[in-house]
Amino acid sequence: VSRQESWRSQRDCSRGAAGITETRQHRRLRNIVVGKIILTGDRPTGRLHVGHYVGSLRRRVELQNSGEYSDIYIMIADSQALTDNADNPEKVRQNILEVALDYLSAGLDPEKSTIFIQSMVPELYEMTAYFMDIVTVSRLQRNPTVKSEIQMRNFEASIPVGFFTYPISQAADITAFKANVVPAGEDQMPMVEQTREIVHKFNTVYNTDTLVMPDILLPSNDACRRLPGTDGKAKMSKSLGNCIYLSDTEEDVKKKVMSMYTDPNHLKVSDPGQVEGNTVFTYLDAFCKDEYFAEFWPDYKNLDEVKEHYKRGGLGDVKVKKFLNRVLEEELRPIRERRKRWEQDIPAVYEILKSGSEKAERVAAQTLKEMRAAMKINYFDDAALIAEQSEKYNGQ
Ligand code: TRP
């Protein structure tokens, strides 16, 4: 084997998980055979609400149970939460458990999905640092989600650097697991777009196919994409007090539904009502199934019939709200019951997070190793480099 050849084969090979030397072509094949990999996650800044549920969580559970995915990673993004909560670590710490409980009660199954904590996978930080070298400041400034978050938090000139660069760390989250599917809400579109640019740039600059191009998987209908708060405001937020949480009691939910924002001009039952922008109907669009009519409201066959009646006039808000409450109760009861069971065994929840984080770290370490080889910073693994340089100084 000539020196040139041995150098090339070293460069093109890396050690697979099984310790078998793998060529680039094998690696490409493995990515195809392995198939579809999911990564997604949430910042642990509060309990999850019904907006998270219809926007992403319900879908994750369906994807998990479809059997179509070879690996599913669900990340609790604590370090991302710290980028704008540096002075409030206790909040982040407490909410890791809340989010984990919400995941498990929504039906994520630790046997099928790897649930882990972001900061427990330090490889993600190293990857972020390398990605920072191939992203410009002006590109980050153009990220629309970051732009509006900066406004919302009144950061202006006092943006923490970590917050400003979190789209880059999100690219590390996604690529570390070679995820090709990212189920998430519309607000995450700019993050996945930026990740795609990073993947393209990294693979081009370092002449490799280590990183996998991801696609976002958006919620299927508009109501699920943007579920409003119970007051009709576009954004559900704890500070506005307009959220229905997955962990709310039956009474909480009922109270919130009965005081929901509807059509402010629908004063008398006989008045024609408006369905667009009417929160009760938006929630029904997100939650209602036809089978609920036979069970709870046999006067109608489906939601379209209810909407028609409401628009014509003669259907009061209270009736529609009572139906919505039944529907929500039906959807949320199993979640609430599963949560009660998990709450009895908090140490088991931490065990799940721990073993999930260990698995996640193994996978991320493998990707990082491949990245380091592509970037030629794998000095001590590269016997050919050392041999070649010895030759250069001591050869004939
Ligand atoms: N930014 C997401 C949120 O605010 C959380 C997150 C971090 C994430 N890394 C991710 C989502 C990677 C999808 C993929 O909820």
Side-chain angles (χ1 to χ4, degrees):
V1 187
S2 76
R3 209 184 317 142
Q4 186 67 32
E5 269 162 19
S6 91
W7 176 78
R8 179 170 308 118
S9 68
Q10 274 290 331
R11 185 197 54 180
D12 289 353
C13 291
S14 65
R15 294 249 154 212
I20 297 160
T21 303
E22 207 176 22
T23 65
R24 264 177 164 226
Q25 201 182 353
H26 278 127
R27 198 154 59 220
R28 198 175 297 128
L29 277 172
R30 178 160 57 90
N31 286 342
I32 294 164
V33 173
V34 160
K36 299 199 280 183
I37 299 176
I38 284 178
L39 177 120
T40 186
D42 301 277
R43 295 181 196 172
T45 52
R47 292 175 292 158
L48 300 184
H49 51 60
V50 288
H52 293 114
Y53 184 65
V54 297
S56 159
L57 204 44
R58 181 170 65 186
R59 185 67 159 296
R60 289 180 207 170
V61 175
E62 286 165 10
L63 296 172
Q64 168 194 272
N65 296 334
S66 74
E68 279 178 32
Y69 294 84
S70 54
D71 284 292
I72 301 176
Y73 298 93
I74 311 289
M75 183 182 74
I76 304 181
D78 64 336
S79 25
Q80 189 175 107
L82 286 168
T83 62
D84 63 334
N85 285 285
D87 53 355
N88 207 348
E90 194 54 36
K91 171 169 123 186
V92 174
R93 182 187 178 83
Q94 293 302 326
N95 281 306
I96 284 179
L97 175 69
E98 295 300 330
V99 171
L101 284 170
D102 287 332
Y103 283 170
L104 294 167
S105 29
L108 286 179
D109 174 355
E111 298 283 318
K112 298 182 186 153
S113 299
T114 304
I115 304 173
F116 72 98
I117 301 176
Q118 187 180 27
S119 70
M120 294 292 106
V121 183
E123 285 76 5
L124 297 174
Y125 299 93
E126 189 175 334
M127 291 177 59
T128 303
Y130 299 139
F131 289 163
M132 283 180 171
D133 301 334
I134 54 172
V135 178
T136 64
V137 172
S138 66
R139 176 62 185 86
L140 276 175
Q141 281 167 333
R142 282 202 310 275
N143 187 309
T145 300
V146 176
K147 255 192 197 165
S148 74
E149 284 175 320
I150 287 171
Q151 265 173 359
M152 234 166 61
R153 290 169 175 72
N154 295 322
F155 272 156
E156 275 112 32
S158 59
I159 317 163
V161 174
F163 183 84
F164 181 61
T165 56
Y166 90 74
I168 304 181
S169 91
Q170 206 158 321
D173 303 337
I174 295 168
T175 54
F177 304 95
K178 308 211 174 192
N180 38 22
V181 181
V182 181
E186 230 172 15
D187 60 326
Q188 299 301 308
M189 269 167 78
M191 306 303 158
V192 177
E193 194 46 47
Q194 190 142 26
T195 303
R196 292 174 60 87
E197 286 175 32
I198 290 173
V199 167
H200 179 74
K201 186 107 187 236
F202 186 94
N203 284 350
T204 308
V205 169
Y206 300 113
N207 183 28
T208 179
D209 52 18
T210 298
L211 301 187
V212 172
M213 197 58 88
D215 280 300
I216 192 164
L217 184 62
L218 292 168
S220 41
N221 85 32
D222 267 358
C224 297
R225 253 174 238 227
R226 287 182 235 210
L227 198 72
T230 52
D231 56 359
K233 294 223 170 73
K235 196 93 183 156
M236 242 188 257
S237 91
K238 189 153 83 188
S239 51
L240 294 173
N242 62 358
C243 308
I244 296 178
Y245 293 100
L246 291 177
S247 49
D248 275 351
T249 64
E250 191 173 345
E251 299 78 67
D252 289 338
V253 175
K254 182 160 191 195
K255 234 182 278 160
K256 290 178 187 181
V257 169
M258 295 317 283
S259 61
M260 238 180 202
Y261 177 84
T262 58
D263 169 6
N265 300 316
H266 186 237
L267 299 174
K268 284 184 283 170
V269 171
S270 55
D271 288 341
Q274 208 177 329
V275 165
E276 291 79 39
N278 186 322
T279 316
V280 176
F281 282 99
T282 312
Y283 273 60
L284 283 172
D285 280 332
F287 280 101
C288 189
K289 297 178 198 143
D290 285 353
E291 68 230 42
Y292 288 141
F293 285 94
E295 223 174 313
F296 304 134
W297 212 6
D299 298 355
Y300 303 90
K301 264 206 260 343
N302 55 40
L303 193 52
D304 286 338
E305 283 188 13
V306 180
K307 286 182 180 171
E308 280 315 310
H309 193 181
Y310 191 83
K311 285 197 263 190
R312 265 201 318 274
L315 176 57
D317 283 348
V318 172
K319 277 194 178 164
V320 191
K321 285 178 171 176
K322 280 192 169 152
F323 175 63
L324 172 61
N325 183 55
R326 298 295 295 273
V327 169
L328 280 180
E329 198 35 42
E330 206 59 21
E331 298 272 321
L332 298 180
R333 192 189 316 113
I335 299 177
R336 199 181 292 131
E337 283 168 2
R338 266 195 297 267
R339 198 181 218 273
K340 286 237 171 64
R341 286 201 296 276
W342 283 108
E343 284 171 355
Q344 305 303 306
D345 198 357
I346 300 300
V349 178
Y350 275 98
E351 271 310 310
I352 289 166
L353 294 176
K354 186 166 178 235
S355 62
S357 300
E358 284 162 2
K359 173 175 178 195
E361 184 170 16
R362 281 197 299 278
V363 176
Q366 174 59 30
T367 304
L368 179 59
K369 194 169 176 185
E370 293 170 23
M371 280 174 59
R372 293 182 61 109
M375 294 172 72
K376 300 190 182 300
I377 54 173
N378 59 338
Y379 314 105
F380 309 135
D381 291 340
D382 194 348
L385 168 72
I386 301 167
E388 199 182 348
Q389 290 180 336
S390 304
E391 181 81 6
K392 177 173 148 196
Y393 284 100
N394 303 306
Q396 56 283 61

